[in-house]
Amino acid sequence: SDAAGTDELLMGQVAVGTNSFDIPFDTAISSRYYVLVYAVNPQGKSTTPGSVQYTDQDGPLPTTTWTTTFSGTTVTVTTTTQAPSADSVTNVVFTDTNDASGILDGTVTWTPPETTSHVGNYEVVQAFDAEGLYKVDIVDEAINQVIPVGTNYITLYPGTPRGTSEPDYPANWILVFIREPSGVLEDTSTCGKLKLYDSGSGVPNEVALDITFTDTDDTMREIGGTLTWTPAAMADYARATSYEVWYASSPDG
């Protein structure tokens, strides 16, 4: 049992943006036939997890995939520093200093490319996804959206709303583009990217997840294999930084 008196056991944690978790073979389950996915933040883990009921390879329960919704909550995720790129921006960093959900303050910084002869200026945007869908410009205190070569940061206009050009699609990413002197904007496949974290107080917004797991360990009372999940099409996960994967004897923990 955990500290709350349930029979949940923690298996591990992955960053938001990672939609899978490898459960080691030979993981003993006892009577725990549910895998749970929680969101967590400095306030703790969500009260309701996403869950899936699975079949032990030699066990009695049917395999199924459930669509579930949890009220998420997040934790600081360590990022790996990238070596400077010859052509593109790397190491995009942003810490939201506004404690109101949906409002952003702070400074976006990045590492410039090793050579800047192809750089006319930089432009920074919020977007729904890492491909730049429904992107909107981020501007500084002087309403400038164009950052000159040699300046590798932008301090957001105070109280910048988190959002995209389509209100139903929340901003989950920050992208930093290079615009060439000719006016050509860099493709999203090579631009600098950061999964956005809105540090407002409270738990994250609810996220619907389709969760799938099939046990591929053929020993009774032991499991192993890859757990996967897919967020809903318009999921707002900027209030979360990680998921925790647990297993338990009920879908509620």
Side-chain angles (χ1 to χ4, degrees):
S1 296
D2 66 9
T6 73
D7 70 347
E8 291 180 331
L9 289 177
L10 177 64
M11 285 193 278
Q13 183 180 39
V14 295
V16 168
T18 300
N19 296 324
S20 65
F21 179 82
D22 290 327
I23 298 175
F25 282 87
D26 304 321
T27 297
I29 63 171
S30 182
S31 60
R32 301 177 181 90
Y33 287 98
Y34 291 85
V35 178
L36 315 179
V37 181
Y38 288 93
V40 294
N41 74 10
Q43 286 79 21
K45 75 179 193 283
S46 58
T47 56
T48 304
S51 64
V52 62
Q53 182 184 26
Y54 65 87
T55 297
D56 183 357
Q57 187 72 357
D58 290 309
L61 297 178
T63 300
T64 185
T65 300
W66 290 3
T67 300
T68 57
T69 299
F70 63 76
S71 298
T73 74
T74 116
V75 125
T76 301
V77 173
T78 302
T79 57
T80 302
T81 300
Q82 299 171 274
S85 166
D87 301 314
S88 301
V89 164
T90 53
N91 302 316
V92 180
V93 176
F94 172 69
T95 299
D96 179 24
T97 58
N98 194 305
D99 61 6
S101 178
I103 303 296
L104 304 176
D105 279 308
T107 299
V108 181
T109 63
W110 58 87
T111 300
E114 290 182 327
T115 59
T116 58
S117 58
H118 65 296
V119 181
N121 59 269
Y122 302 104
E123 296 178 19
V124 184
V125 304
Q126 302 180 62
F128 171 69
D129 61 18
E131 304 308 311
L133 185 65
Y134 304 128
K135 65 181 183 289
V136 295
D137 293 321
I138 289 176
V139 299
D140 65 14
E141 295 174 301
I143 322 296
N144 294 319
Q145 68 183 65
V146 174
I147 300 98
V149 177
T151 300
N152 301 312
Y153 68 90
I154 183 172
T155 299
L156 276 62
Y157 186 86
T160 293
R162 177 169 67 90
T164 69
S165 60
E166 290 290 334
D168 290 337
Y169 288 79
N172 293 312
W173 288 81
I174 290 177
L175 281 62
V176 181
F177 289 93
I178 290 171
R179 189 175 291 278
E180 298 177 4
S182 65
V184 174
L185 189 68
E186 179 181 17
D187 188 80
T188 55
S189 64
T190 58
C191 72
K193 300 178 183 181
L194 176 69
K195 196 294 192 174
L196 173 59
Y197 176 53
D198 177 348
S199 63
S201 60
V203 300
N205 298 328
E206 293 185 351
V207 180
L209 298 177
D210 291 325
I211 305 176
T212 303
F213 174 64
T214 299
D215 177 28
T216 54
D217 184 314
D218 60 6
T219 303
M220 182 179 289
R221 303 293 184 181
E222 293 181 358
I223 59 172
T226 300
L227 176 77
T228 62
W229 56 88
T230 304
M234 295 183 288
D236 184 354
Y237 46 84
R239 295 298 329 287
T241 61
S242 60
Y243 298 114
E244 283 186 353
V245 178
W246 297 66
Y247 58 126
S249 59
S250 77
D252 300 320

